[in-house]
């Protein structure tokens, strides 16, 4: 008996090795063709038993060859052999039916033509229908058998995690079918959860699996601690303000996300990833005017400053889609720029790009870049942005954020680039810190150039809020604190911020850069502000922990120069609409007060002299709405009046 046991185990191991690899599609094509050969001979045999003619079994005739040629033609047309047999579904059954019916109808047409000219038929009409039935049965049966063998072999590996499927819609059921049929060894699907009902007495089942409501899951201690949700379902729940995701996190149920529906055929269900904070804060997808963007960026030499940063590097990745002639990557950070270079060489080996180490404060070095590469479009993203750090180093902040911007924009004007796109920040609105004020000063200088009648450059400013996961943002900071078992530090229980994803922000920058005519300050629709305390709680729950129970949250007080609320000038009274629903124009960008020109020159002079007090005084004259709070003061909890 042991011998049979060992033989069985050996066969299973061999079979597993076979099913791990995908069989060539041409082998599937030949198998399908062989099955049709069997079906044709079966049809010949059945017909011959009726008319007492000699039996024809596996007897090759010219009629049979024509039939197989026709069948092969429809295999290629419908690509019925291209799918993975182990994942065959109802769609594959329909495709096989289309193949056999098309072949049968074609043969019937040939019969009519053949009989009309030669009083002969390839196969008698009854034989055509018999062939179609047998061929379809064999093709479908072959796929069912392979699929079942694959499931049985994988079923010997017991899944390690019990999980629910969130939702009962057709797409949710399709997702469940894929997970169950693959039987990945990672998830054992034990039921569905209806997100629209808190309590239900329904006894309906799907795939013979029960449908639960949230109350049943909450009251039970032996149900699964994992749930799988599709990308589409997650977005749907966010739009409807359904709190079920938060409920699951509070119950310490781990949530795994499947990719978009169109990507399921290429998804390895063994490697599903748990959702992250970016997934919970998803916004509506961006719709770009690709025709317009191609016209602006295609075959252009484009300079990106701050290219190694989170925003700059994503701008580079987005620009690749519009086939520029060359991209100049400029940054002073050696290691991040080298890492970006390696990424581009690996993922885009044909991309024409140049990496340049340079500091935007060094105008002579920047001039070399302009002379050598003659950029036609400039995206200026190089900046210091860490608020507390800049408060302690105001001259450095102004030197990079203001003077660096002046250097790049002056050279852009001197060498007549077509477009200059400046990446600003919401902190430039009614600034309460040096970083925001330095950015506002840079905005004013850009406007001064745009208002110059001799200017031929389209100077465009884009302004948006915090970017999820960017360098120096709160999310990486919270992650480190959670990994170290806390505490998670939040400055104030009421502090809020606007957030958007990196790819969303950069797509809007490209769109605004393409639509601008010159002098505009484009403001992005950041959605609703998010309370930082809610963000911290979500991130703690995503790790399976409970806020203020497993991980403590502490309030440290507002830092110098920090606002409770940030402003974007995004309301209807202070902005004008554009053709893009997420991009608006700040009305103030249409006019530039010429009296500020002398203040701009004065500010640069004091920065060059390295005189801190006179520089700050000049900055306040240039940006009168700038209110600098000392370390003993905190900004008002009320939103400040918008000045411009």
């Amino acid at each position: 008996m042991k011998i049979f046991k060992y033989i069985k185990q050996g066969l299973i191991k061999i079979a597993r090795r076979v099913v791990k690899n995908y069989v060539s599609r041409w082998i599937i094509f030949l198998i399908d063709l062989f099955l049709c050969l069997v079906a044709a001979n079966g049809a010949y045999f059945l017909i011959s038993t009726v008319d007492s003619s000699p039996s024809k079994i596996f007897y090759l005739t010219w009629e049979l060859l024509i039939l197989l040629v026709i069948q092969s033609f429809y295999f290629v047309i419908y690509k019925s052999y291209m799918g993975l047999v182990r994942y065959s579904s109802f769609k594959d059954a329909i495709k096989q039916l289309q193949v056999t019916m098309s072949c049968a109808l074609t043969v019937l047409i040939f019969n009519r033509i053949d009989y009309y000219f030669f009083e002969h038929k390839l196969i008698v009409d009854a034989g055509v229908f018999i062939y179609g039935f047998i061929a379809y049965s064999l093709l479908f049966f072959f796929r069912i058998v392979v699929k079942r063998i694959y499931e049985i072999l994988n079923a010997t590996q017991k899944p390690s995690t019990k999980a629910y499927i969130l939702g009962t819609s057709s797409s949710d059921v399709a997702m469940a079918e894929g997970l169950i049929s693959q039987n990945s060894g990672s998830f054992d699907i034990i039921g569905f959860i209806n997100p629209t009902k808190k309590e239900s007495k329904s006894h309906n089942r799907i795939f013979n699996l029960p449908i639960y409501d949230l109350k049943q899951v909450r009251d039970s201690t032996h149900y699964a601690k994992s749930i799988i949700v599709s990308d589409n379902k997650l977005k749907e729940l966010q739009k409807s303000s359904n709190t079920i995701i938060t409920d699951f996190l509070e119950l310490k149920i781990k949530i795994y996300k499947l990719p978009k529906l169109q990507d399921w055929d290429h998804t390895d269900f063994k490697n599903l990833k748990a959702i992250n904070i970016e997934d919970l804060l998803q916004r509506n997808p961006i719709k770009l005017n690709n025709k317009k963007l191609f016209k602006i960026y295609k075959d252009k030499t484009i300079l990106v400053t701050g290219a190694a940063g989170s925003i700059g590097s994503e701008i580079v990745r987005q620009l690749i889609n519009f086939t520029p002639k060359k991209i100049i990557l400029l940054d002073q950070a050696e290691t991040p720029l080298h890492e970006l270079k390696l990424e581009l060489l690996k993922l885009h080996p044909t991309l024409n790009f140049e990496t340049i180490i340079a500091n935007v404060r060094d105008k002579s070095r920047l001039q070399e870049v302009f002379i050598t590469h003659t950029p036609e479009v400039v995206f200026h993203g190089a900046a210091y942005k860490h608020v507390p750090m800049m408060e302690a180093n105001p001259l450095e902040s102004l030197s990079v954020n203001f003077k660096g911007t002046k250097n790049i924009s002056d050279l852009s004007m001197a060498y007549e680039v077509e477009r200059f796109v400046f990446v600003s920040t919401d902190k430039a609105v009614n600034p309460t810190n040096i970083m925001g004020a330095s950015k506002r000063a840079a905005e004013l200088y850009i406007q001064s150039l745009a208002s110059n009648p001799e200017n031929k450059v389209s100077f465009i400013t884009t302004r948006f809020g915090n970017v999820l996961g960017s360098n120096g943002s709160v999310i990486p900071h919270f992650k480190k604190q959670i990994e170290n078992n806390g505490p998670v530090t939040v400055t104030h229980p009421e502090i809020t911020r606007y957030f958007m994803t990196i790819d969303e922000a950069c797509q809007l920058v490209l769109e605004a850069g393409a639509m601008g005519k010159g002098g505009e300050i484009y403001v992005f629709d950041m959605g609703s502000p998010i309370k930082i305390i809610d963000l911290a709680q979500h991130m703690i729950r995503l790790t399976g922990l409970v806020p203020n129970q497993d991980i403590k949250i502490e309030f440290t007080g507002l830092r110098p120069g920090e606002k409770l609320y940030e402003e974007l000038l995004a309301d209807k009274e202070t902005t004008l609409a554009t053709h893009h629903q997420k991009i608006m124009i700040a009305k103030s960008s249409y006019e530039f007060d010429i009296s500020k020109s002398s203040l701009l020159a004065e500010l640069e002079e004091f920065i060059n002299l390295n005189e801190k007090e006179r520089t700050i005084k000049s900055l306040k004259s240039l940006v009168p709405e700038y209110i600098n709070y000392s370390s003993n003061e905190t900004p008002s909890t009320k939103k400040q009046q918008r000045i411009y």
Side-chain angles (χ1 to χ4, degrees), residues 161-165 187 224-228 253-256:
T161 305
K162 291 184 177 181
Y164 306 105
I165 296 293
F187 295 98
K225 288 298 181 183
S226 296
I227 191 166
I228 301 172
I253 294 178
K254 200 163 188 179
I255 305 171
Y256 294 88

Side-chain angles (χ1 to χ4, degrees), residues 267-488:
T267 298
D268 184 355
F269 292 131
K270 297 179 183 179
N271 299 315
L272 298 188
K273 294 182 179 180
I275 64 171
N276 53 34
I277 193 64
E278 288 85 354
D279 295 319
L280 295 182
L281 300 177
Q282 285 186 80
R283 290 151 56 83
N284 294 330
I286 301 294
K287 294 181 181 179
L288 294 178
N289 185 347
N290 286 330
K291 187 176 180 180
K292 176 76 171 178
L293 297 185
F294 267 104
K295 184 178 179 181
I296 298 297
Y297 304 126
K298 183 177 173 62
D299 296 327
K300 297 292 175 65
T301 299
I302 302 176
L303 169 65
V304 181
T305 70
S310 49
I311 299 296
S313 60
E314 184 60 26
I315 287 176
V316 171
R317 296 183 189 100
Q318 298 285 347
L319 282 170
I320 293 171
N321 299 323
F322 303 103
T323 59
K325 179 181 178 181
K326 187 177 185 180
I327 304 180
I328 312 301
L329 287 66
L330 186 147
D331 206 294
Q332 67 169 341
E334 174 194 8
T335 301
L337 190 60
H338 176 67
E339 290 173 352
L340 179 60
K341 177 181 179 179
L342 294 179
E343 175 191 326
L344 296 178
L345 288 173
K346 179 180 179 181
L347 300 179
H348 307 281
T350 61
L351 178 67
N352 184 16
F353 71 95
E354 189 88 23
T355 53
I356 296 176
I357 301 293
N359 193 314
V360 293
R361 290 179 287 193
D362 187 346
K363 192 170 183 178
S364 59
R365 172 71 172 126
L366 294 176
Q367 187 171 15
E368 290 179 8
V369 174
F370 275 80
I371 293 172
T372 304
H373 300 285
T374 59
E376 298 162 276
V377 179
V378 174
F379 286 90
H380 179 48
Y384 281 146
K385 61 181 183 179
H386 197 278
V387 171
M389 192 75 73
M390 293 305 100
E391 286 299 292
N393 300 274
L395 283 175
E396 289 297 308
S397 177
L398 286 161
S399 180
V400 171
N401 295 354
F402 172 72
K403 187 181 174 184
T405 301
K406 182 179 183 300
N407 288 340
I408 291 287
S409 56
D410 284 347
L411 289 169
S412 296
M413 192 166 176
Y415 291 92
E416 296 185 349
V417 305
E418 296 174 11
R419 289 176 181 271
F420 180 97
V421 184
F422 174 49
V423 179
S424 189
T425 171
D426 58 356
K427 292 177 177 62
V429 182
N430 299 324
T432 59
N433 51 65
I434 284 290
M435 197 283 279
S438 65
K439 281 287 195 176
R440 178 55 186 160
E443 288 183 357
L444 290 171
Y445 188 76
I446 296 296
Q447 287 180 277
S448 72
L449 294 181
S451 65
N452 187 337
E454 297 180 3
N455 168 53
K456 296 180 181 179
V457 183
S458 294
F459 283 103
I460 300 152
T461 298
T462 61
R463 185 192 286 163
F464 52 91
N466 300 280
V467 175
L468 290 169
S470 63
N471 297 334
S473 73
V474 70
I475 289 178
H477 179 62
F478 281 170
K479 282 181 179 178
K480 288 182 180 179
Q481 291 182 326
I482 293 170
E483 288 171 0
N484 294 325
N485 299 317
V488 173

Side-chain angles (χ1 to χ4, degrees), residues 387 426-433 436 491-492 494-497 532 558-568 625 627 629 634-642 644:
V387 171
D426 58 356
K427 292 177 177 62
V429 182
N430 299 324
T432 59
N433 51 65
T491 57
H492 194 284
E494 297 299 322
I495 193 168
T496 63
R497 289 292 181 265
I532 301 301
L558 290 174
R559 298 171 296 184
E562 188 173 38
K563 288 183 180 181
L564 268 184
Y565 307 101
E566 287 180 341
E567 303 165 88
L568 285 167
E625 63 273 16
I627 303 174
Y629 295 97
T634 56
S636 169
T637 58
K638 295 182 179 180
K639 291 186 178 180
Q640 300 172 23
Q641 180 182 3
R642 294 182 170 96
Y644 48 96

Side-chain angles (χ1 to χ4, degrees), residues 41 44-49 51-59:
N41 279 276
Y44 278 130
F45 173 76
L46 291 175
I47 294 169
S48 66
T49 58
D51 61 10
S52 300
S53 61
S55 299
K56 295 181 179 179
I57 304 177
F58 296 103
Y59 181 65

Side-chain angles (χ1 to χ4, degrees), residues 592-627:
F592 176 75
D593 187 352
I594 197 67
S595 66
K596 292 185 181 292
S597 297
S598 60
L599 294 175
L600 288 167
E602 181 183 85
L603 178 62
E604 182 186 14
E605 179 184 355
F606 291 144
I607 292 172
N608 292 335
L609 292 173
N610 202 34
E611 295 188 11
K612 178 179 175 181
E613 291 183 3
R614 296 175 72 184
T615 300
I616 298 299
K617 184 178 179 180
S618 176
L619 178 64
K620 289 182 177 180
S621 298
L622 177 66
V623 187
E625 63 273 16
Y626 167 41
I627 303 174

Side-chain angles (χ1 to χ4, degrees), residues 178-195:
L179 284 163
I180 294 169
S181 64
Q182 181 166 330
N183 202 349
S184 66
S186 298
F187 295 98
D188 178 17
I189 307 303
I190 66 168
F192 294 79
I193 294 179
N194 189 341

